[in-house]
Amino acid sequence: LHRSHSIRQSVPNCFRRSFRCALITASVLAMMMLAACSGSGSAHVVRGEMGQKLKVEDVSYTVLAADWAEALGEGATARIPNHRFLLIRIAATNEGGGPAEMGSFKLIASNGTEYGEVANGADVNEWLGMSRNLEAKDTKQGVVLFDAPKAVYELQVADAFYDEESGSAALIQIPVRPEGAQPAISGALP
């Protein structure tokens, strides 16, 4: 009798332990799934203005100047844009301990229209080019070129893995200057 009574008591305890174990396991799995679906996969975006230093991964960017041009070059060989050329002078510094690649650039209008860089830098003084590697602690300055209607834009500088859900980017306000005004940051463009 005594033996059967202890068996009856141990069976419910066994089930209670299994139930608790299953409940804890389910709770841990639910927390892991929530963590995977939230914040950890979100993109990191910083916003700023011309002249302000903004960091994307290990590289810091500063927009030094922005200037509009109706043509590049002169005479019969002048390059004529579809809209207008926007030349943006940028300084980029690799603050990391190893080599880094500068991010990609694009203009974003207030209505969401995007304009990519012009890949041909002919007639652009100090064009950065399309391959932009930086050694550790190295700084490069140069010009990126766009063909876009004259308007206020945000310049997006993004790492290679950026999309709306992951990666890092900076959005830098590019204002429109009145015709003939000097660049916002001295010594920026010729």
Side-chain angles (χ1 to χ4, degrees):
L1 245 188
H2 181 62
R3 190 170 220 204
S4 66
H5 179 67
S6 70
I7 291 174
R8 271 188 261 141
Q9 283 184 337
S10 67
V11 170
N13 284 339
C14 177
F15 284 129
R16 280 192 288 240
R17 272 188 250 127
S18 294
F19 179 73
R20 269 193 301 229
C21 212
L23 187 60
I24 291 170
T25 302
S27 297
V28 169
L29 286 173
M31 288 189 302
M32 289 172 56
M33 287 174 56
L34 281 173
C37 293
S38 64
S40 64
S42 63
H44 176 71
V45 178
V46 294
R47 293 180 181 273
E49 299 176 357
M50 285 179 47
Q52 186 178 357
K53 185 178 182 179
L54 297 173
K55 193 169 181 180
V56 176
E57 296 299 323
D58 285 338
V59 181
S60 292
Y61 299 89
T62 305
V63 172
L64 302 172
D67 201 22
W68 293 92
E70 294 183 10
L72 294 174
E74 295 179 11
T77 61
R79 292 176 54 196
I80 308 298
N82 291 326
H83 304 284
R84 283 196 177 186
F85 286 122
L86 175 58
L87 297 92
I88 300 178
R89 177 172 293 284
I90 294 175
T93 301
N94 179 0
E95 296 180 2
E101 190 172 321
M102 289 174 65
S104 62
F105 300 97
K106 70 178 168 182
L107 291 177
I108 303 174
S110 59
N111 66 3
T113 303
E114 297 179 352
Y115 298 90
E117 284 184 74
V118 175
N120 178 353
D123 297 314
V124 176
N125 291 332
E126 298 180 39
W127 182 54
L128 271 179
M130 298 305 287
S131 176
R132 304 175 181 131
N133 297 314
L134 292 167
E135 294 301 320
K137 310 302 180 198
D138 190 19
T139 297
K140 283 188 181 178
Q141 265 192 48
V143 175
V144 292
L145 179 65
F146 297 92
D147 183 348
K150 191 169 186 177
V152 173
Y153 291 97
E154 284 187 312
L155 175 67
Q156 181 187 74
V157 183
D159 69 17
F161 307 105
Y162 179 76
D163 62 26
E164 285 74 28
E165 298 191 20
S166 64
S168 297
L171 293 171
I172 304 163
Q173 188 74 29
I174 306 294
V176 174
R177 292 181 298 123
E179 295 293 329
Q182 294 300 311
I185 308 295
S186 64
L189 293 173

